[in-house]
Amino acid sequence: MILAKVVGTVWGARQAASLGGRRIVEVRPVVLGPAGPVPHDATEDRLADASLLAVDPLGADEGQLVLVAIGSRVRDLCLGPDVTTKHCVIAIVDAAEVVEGEPA
Amino acid sequence: MILGRVVGQVWATRKNRWVEGKKLLIVRPLAWFRPDHECGHVVAVDPVGAEVGQDVVVCLGLPARRALGDARHPVEASIAAIVDRVEVHADAAADGGPRFEFAHGSEPSGLDVRP
Amino acid sequence: MIRGVVLGQVWATKRNPRLAGKRLLLVAEVVEDAAGRRRSGRVVVAADDLDARVGDAVVVAFGSGARNAEEACSRDVLSDAAIVQIIDSE
């Protein structure tokens, strides 16, 4: 799993049937940074450049930190084998703390 | 499996029911590791009892789920072992390439580099 | 599967019981491109039942492929990577 921040929701009326109307969120992975709590208002420098899209069965809001699990088996288990994604939100994060920061 | 250092912890109330009550640790890989996205960490479920600062072996994929006692856990990383010592023979790769070295700050605890 | 070279060994007393007794080796991936063969920088921990030694060129299998290396990685063993062959020559 990776820690990521929800940066938006992807809406679209025309959706593959296999997605079954599920909500898709755009997230950006959090980079570790210095020791301390991972801020919920993590800004640019704490987010990876590339964003990714994940199916969100939990209803995370924009700006929230989430845990994204990756892989086809995770998809099978969370959503069902027919859903066309490999990324799934499995938890909405209350708090995350980095105790030991990146080496200098 | 990969070598990593436990650098933090994650708490979540709202989560997939299979992840309820599980300890979630933030692990920084000690040697190059490429998940789908380059963010320098992986969050792993910890059934072993690792603590922040310890170096661990992280198992990925199906075995990671089995380690939790049921392959239906929707996770793909779990702590398999806590590392006591790592022995590396720096010139092991006699392929004319550079000597193998862990990056600065990423040397595992108990690292024993043999000539 | 990847081609790799054994760099060293990892010792861990406290481990998941399903990994008990397994020898864990540190393996650097070796890739081949136009410039020749080189280490990619990726380092993995793999279970070993073949008694690979430091410096050996090996083949490492991952996931379900590793699981099929019955000894190192049967369904009951908690491992996602196993040394499945020691390369003698190619």
Side-chain angles (χ1 to χ4, degrees):
Chain A
M1 291 83 70
I2 55 173
L3 263 179
K5 179 180 175 171
V6 179
V7 294
T9 308
V10 177
W11 304 101
R14 283 178 69 180
Q15 191 186 54
S18 57
L19 276 173
R22 288 182 174 84
R23 186 163 177 266
I24 298 175
V25 290
E26 181 172 12
V27 304
R28 283 177 66 187
V30 171
V31 294
L32 284 185
V38 177
H40 283 269
D41 57 349
T43 46
E44 279 299 312
D45 56 330
R46 289 297 293 271
L47 301 175
D49 290 336
S51 66
L52 61 98
L53 299 178
V55 169
D56 170 29
L58 298 177
D61 288 326
E62 190 170 331
Q64 280 187 312
L65 290 176
V66 292
L67 271 184
V68 177
I70 302 165
S72 53
R73 286 290 296 148
V74 167
R75 179 265 328 276
D76 293 353
L77 295 161
C78 274
L79 304 167
D82 303 328
V83 183
T84 49
T85 181
K86 274 191 148 184
H87 297 90
C88 177
V89 173
I90 62 158
I92 297 175
V93 172
D94 299 327
E97 178 150 32
V98 175
V99 179
E100 191 180 312
E102 292 276 299
Chain B
M1 295 163 285
I2 58 165
L3 270 183
R5 178 164 301 156
V6 181
V7 297
Q9 191 166 353
V10 177
W11 295 270
T13 309
R14 185 135 186 226
K15 48 192 171 184
N16 183 292
R17 64 191 172 91
W18 284 100
V19 196
E20 297 285 339
K22 298 286 189 299
K23 189 171 157 202
L24 297 166
L25 296 179
I26 305 174
V27 177
R28 180 170 65 79
L30 292 180
W32 186 75
F33 162 72
R34 190 160 57 94
D36 275 19
H37 293 271
E38 202 57 67
C39 51
H41 77 269
V42 59
V43 178
V45 177
D46 174 28
V48 180
E51 286 166 22
V52 170
Q54 283 182 321
D55 290 341
V56 291
V57 174
V58 178
C59 187
L60 305 169
L62 179 61
R65 289 187 274 283
R66 287 236 172 81
L68 304 175
D70 190 317
R72 284 176 292 174
H73 288 86
V75 305
E76 81 291 0
S78 70
I79 310 275
I82 299 171
V83 172
D84 300 322
R85 189 164 80 88
V86 176
E87 185 180 303
V88 167
H89 293 246
D91 290 322
D95 52 8
R99 281 168 62 100
F100 173 78
E101 279 176 319
F102 283 95
H104 173 67
S106 291
E107 301 90 348
S109 53
L111 177 64
D112 181 1
V113 179
R114 299 293 176 88
Chain C
M1 294 189 290
I2 61 165
R3 179 203 309 268
V5 59
V6 179
L7 291 178
Q9 189 168 353
V10 176
W11 280 271
T13 309
K14 192 167 180 189
R15 53 169 90 186
N16 190 294
R18 295 170 80 167
L19 201 56
K22 287 291 159 199
R23 191 160 171 253
L24 299 174
L25 294 185
L26 206 57
V27 180
E29 180 183 36
V30 173
V31 293
E32 193 161 6
D33 56 20
R37 213 169 268 179
R38 60 184 170 78
R39 278 171 274 150
S40 68
R42 179 185 185 189
V43 175
V44 298
V45 180
D48 171 45
D49 273 339
L50 302 180
D51 280 331
R53 287 169 306 171
V54 167
D56 278 350
V58 293
V59 176
V60 179
F62 296 97
S64 56
R67 231 164 37 239
N68 293 338
E70 281 297 330
E71 293 277 297
C73 233
S74 75
R75 282 196 166 263
D76 300 326
V77 175
L78 164 66
S79 170
D80 59 20
I83 291 176
V84 294
Q85 187 171 18
I86 298 173
I87 301 173
D88 296 323
S89 63
E90 50 195 309

